[in-house]
Amino acid sequence: MRALRVLLIVAVVLGGIFVGLDRLAVNYAESEAADRVRLGPARSGSTDVDIKGFPFLTQVMDQRLDEVDVKLTGVEATAGGRKIRIGELSAAFHDVTLNGDYTSARAGSVSGTALISYEDLAAASEREVKVAYGGNGKLKVTGGVKILGRTVTKSVVSTVTLVDGDTIRVRADKVPGDGIPGLEDLVRKRTDFDREIGGLPAGMKLEKVEAREDGLAVAVTGKDVVLAG
């Protein structure tokens, strides 16, 4: 019985040491990965990496990770040839394969959400407008139009949709005409716009858009995506 107790104690101690070493290794790997992770041509202000699964060391030996969660902040992408800032991009990469020297990785699948502030969306619209949350999943777009030499401010409730898998479309649901011929066209020229989103890595695409209080949430998915390189 004494020998069994000693064996159990040794097993617990060795197990604790292994767990400690495993956690140290994953913390180091996450720090290194945060400095190396690149998602196509897009640039980010900061990167956080969270490697899932236990034990980590056996995953590394197999050169395959179950899941890697990445959060990028201050991402610079492109929209219709113009830069657009994505406040935060959070994505989960599954079935991640590491190359032989651990300098790059490729994910079998990815899903995540990009959050664009309404201020950044307005800046990318090429319109002198203000964009805000309008409630019930709608946008409120406000802009000035000239009528008989005077600038009149008009606000419309707009629907935002995803077109062709890469373009954000904003369209006013209804424009009050105020009995003035041509006013609706003038307002729509100011408030309606399309913006194609580029700068994402190969294999990733936009899935859907949703207007929320904290900004425009864009769901992204992908397959066979390069995570680092």
Side-chain angles (χ1 to χ4, degrees):
M1 291 295 294
R2 178 180 176 81
L4 180 58
R5 286 198 297 271
V6 171
L7 182 60
L8 289 174
I9 292 172
V10 171
V12 170
V13 171
L14 290 178
I17 293 174
F18 175 77
V19 171
L21 290 175
D22 190 80
R23 294 301 88 190
L24 286 174
V26 74
N27 289 339
Y28 174 78
E30 288 171 348
S31 177
E32 289 294 306
D35 292 334
R36 297 184 181 183
V37 166
R38 298 291 183 272
L39 293 180
R43 296 183 178 182
S44 63
S46 64
T47 304
D48 291 323
V49 176
D50 184 10
I51 300 174
K52 302 294 186 179
F54 178 83
F56 166 71
L57 291 174
T58 57
Q59 293 186 77
V60 171
M61 291 176 62
D62 292 337
Q63 293 187 308
R64 187 178 295 274
L65 305 176
D66 295 334
E67 179 181 341
V68 178
D69 292 349
V70 177
K71 183 170 75 173
L72 306 175
T73 57
V75 181
E76 287 188 1
T78 59
R82 293 169 59 91
K83 288 185 178 180
I84 182 172
R85 184 181 183 276
I86 299 174
E88 180 179 299
L89 172 60
S90 299
F93 295 80
H94 299 275
D95 191 21
V96 178
T97 303
L98 307 173
N99 72 341
D101 57 3
Y102 302 98
T103 57
S104 66
R106 186 177 295 270
S109 64
V110 58
S111 60
T113 301
L115 188 63
I116 304 173
S117 74
Y118 293 124
E119 182 179 358
D120 290 328
L121 180 62
S125 71
E126 288 188 334
R127 305 283 202 273
E128 293 181 1
V129 296
K130 292 183 179 180
V131 180
Y133 183 61
N136 298 320
K138 302 283 187 174
L139 300 180
K140 179 182 178 182
V141 184
T142 303
V145 294
K146 284 189 175 181
I147 303 174
L148 301 176
R150 296 178 57 188
T151 300
V152 179
T153 300
K154 291 289 183 179
S155 293
V156 296
V157 174
S158 301
T159 297
V160 57
T161 57
L162 182 65
V163 181
D164 298 329
D166 62 359
T167 300
I168 294 174
R169 172 167 292 173
V170 176
R171 292 289 184 273
D173 293 351
K174 183 180 179 181
V175 178
D178 294 337
I180 302 176
L183 178 59
E184 180 174 348
D185 290 339
L186 289 174
V187 174
R188 287 192 177 277
K189 284 181 181 180
R190 179 69 67 184
T191 61
D192 291 357
F193 60 90
D194 290 354
R195 274 299 163 263
E196 180 181 350
I197 304 298
L200 294 176
M204 287 185 70
K205 63 178 182 179
L206 309 184
E207 192 70 27
K208 66 178 182 178
V209 295
E210 177 186 10
R212 306 190 320 203
E213 290 187 20
D214 56 346
L216 187 66
V218 184
V220 295
T221 60
K223 292 184 178 180
D224 195 27
V225 177
V226 175
L227 177 61

